[in-house]
Amino acid sequence: MKIFCVANQKGGVGKTTTAVNLAAGLSKIGQRVLLVDLDPQGNATMGSGINKQALTSTIYQVLIGAAELKNIRVHSPADYDVLPGNRELAGAEIDLVDMEQRESRLKNALKTVSGDYDFCLIDCPPSLSLLTLNGLVSAHGVIIPMQCEYFALEGLSDLVNTIKRVTNSFNKELKIIGLLRVMFDPRMTLSQQVSAQLEKHFGEKVFKTVIPRNVRLAEAPSYGLPGVVFDPSSRGAAAYLQFAQEMVARMRALESPELPKPLADV
Ligand code: ATP
Ligand code: MG
């Protein structure tokens, strides 16, 4: 099982949309997928068709050692498994502080199901908190969704520094898999310019797939489905399906010794 965090401490940049649609897209192309909702907002849970209010156990109980991960999995109508989250998770920040191995609790829990899946995707909250740290410590790689706008690069260095710290202290395997351009509007000159700048600075670390701004992706969560399942014919769905294929290819590259380049090259 390869584990990827979808992370960016900026809010509203498309993390959850990316996590649920990539999960659904990977499932569509035959991969076994587990989606972890590490955000107290519970958007990935709801967007996967699971009622966050009706849950008796969530990833919170797993983190504090009160439940086994394999017993709280829920199957999404979009055909992948979910480790659901809800507002209870906000308490984990405080509850975990005094616990042993507080940053490795998700990692240890995920080990118990590693044979059941090809991909595990972790939807992180918009912060560099202990929850996000648990995600990064568990993961092989990070996917960073970015909007191609003026302030897009601001804050990226904080995220890259956090990732480097995690690499040095907890998880040598962690790599930035790539930056994903999302909510892209090709009619905007600024979008084109920022996109070109990203390619220039980050080279191969920028995914080839670009996710367009597409209203069907925004409408899908209210139907409890990822856009990829809600309207497969939409441009947004097609882009996320293409991204799923690109991820499978990058995962294969990750298994070969030369690629991708180490974090130091970012
Ligand atoms: P948060 O930081 O609060 O967790 P997030 O980074 O997870 O936010 P999303 O919830 O995925 O961001 O997206 C923010 C908003 O933008 C949502 O209303 C979502 O439906 C919309 N959105 C995301 N991607 C697209 C897209 N490609 N086209 C149109 N709307 C989009
Ligand atoms: Mg989110």
Side-chain angles (χ1 to χ4, degrees):
M1 177 171 84
K2 285 283 179 204
I3 306 173
F4 299 100
C5 274
V6 182
N8 189 330
Q9 79 275 25
K10 272 183 191 257
V13 295
K15 292 179 290 294
T16 301
T17 305
T18 297
V20 299
N21 282 287
L22 179 58
L26 287 167
S27 169
K28 273 200 172 190
I29 58 173
Q31 304 292 314
R32 299 169 302 161
V33 183
L34 175 67
L35 175 64
V36 181
D37 190 353
L38 260 194
D39 187 345
Q41 295 181 98
N43 293 344
T45 301
M46 296 295 277
S48 299
I50 296 150
N51 182 359
K52 65 181 176 185
Q53 271 110 18
L55 297 164
T56 47
S57 299
T58 68
I59 188 73
Y60 169 76
Q61 275 77 23
V62 174
L63 291 174
I64 62 165
E68 297 244 0
L69 189 149
K70 55 178 180 293
N71 297 333
I72 66 144
R73 290 178 280 187
V74 188
H75 195 66
S76 162
D79 214 15
Y80 52 82
D81 282 355
V82 180
L83 289 180
N86 61 21
R87 56 191 300 191
E88 259 192 311
L89 263 178
E93 287 290 334
I94 298 151
D95 297 338
L96 286 178
V97 166
D98 295 327
M99 289 192 180
E100 266 174 54
Q101 296 194 310
R102 59 186 176 180
E103 64 290 311
S104 310
R105 300 186 75 89
L106 179 63
K107 179 192 172 112
N108 294 335
L110 285 173
K111 276 185 194 151
T112 62
V113 297
S114 65
D116 296 355
Y117 304 98
D118 302 302
F119 279 91
C120 171
L121 304 174
I122 303 173
D123 185 31
C124 290
S127 61
L128 296 173
S129 58
L130 192 49
L131 286 168
T132 299
L133 186 61
N134 261 274
L136 294 172
V137 170
S138 310
H140 299 99
V142 189
I143 298 165
I144 307 174
M146 299 191 68
Q147 289 183 55
C148 292
E149 57 181 31
Y150 187 67
F151 290 116
L153 291 171
E154 204 173 83
L156 186 60
S157 59
D158 291 338
L159 179 58
V160 170
N161 285 336
T162 302
I163 293 169
K164 281 184 179 162
R165 264 195 291 132
V166 173
T167 310
N168 291 335
S169 314
F170 302 109
N171 178 6
K172 288 195 179 49
E173 276 188 75
L174 186 66
K175 294 180 177 69
I176 293 178
I177 304 299
L179 306 176
L180 177 67
R181 290 162 286 182
V182 298
M183 297 189 227
F184 191 75
D185 184 352
R187 290 164 305 182
M188 279 178 64
T189 313
L190 180 63
S191 292
Q192 303 274 15
Q193 285 170 344
V194 175
S195 174
Q197 210 182 5
L198 283 176
E199 281 176 348
K200 190 169 158 229
H201 285 285
F202 298 99
E204 281 177 16
K205 290 280 178 192
V206 182
F207 288 109
K208 297 263 181 304
T209 309
V210 177
I211 310 296
R213 186 173 284 282
N214 178 241
V215 70
R216 301 301 269 169
L217 290 173
E219 288 167 352
S222 60
Y223 296 86
L225 287 172
V228 162
V229 177
F230 171 62
D231 184 358
S233 66
S234 64
R235 282 190 313 126
Y240 272 114
L241 205 57
Q242 192 188 329
F243 179 50
Q245 276 151 353
E246 189 175 357
M247 272 304 294
V248 171
R250 288 228 178 182
M251 190 179 81
R252 297 209 172 111
L254 199 64
E255 279 156 4
S256 86
E258 299 101 316
L259 287 168
K261 287 181 181 158
L263 194 61
D265 292 358
V266 172

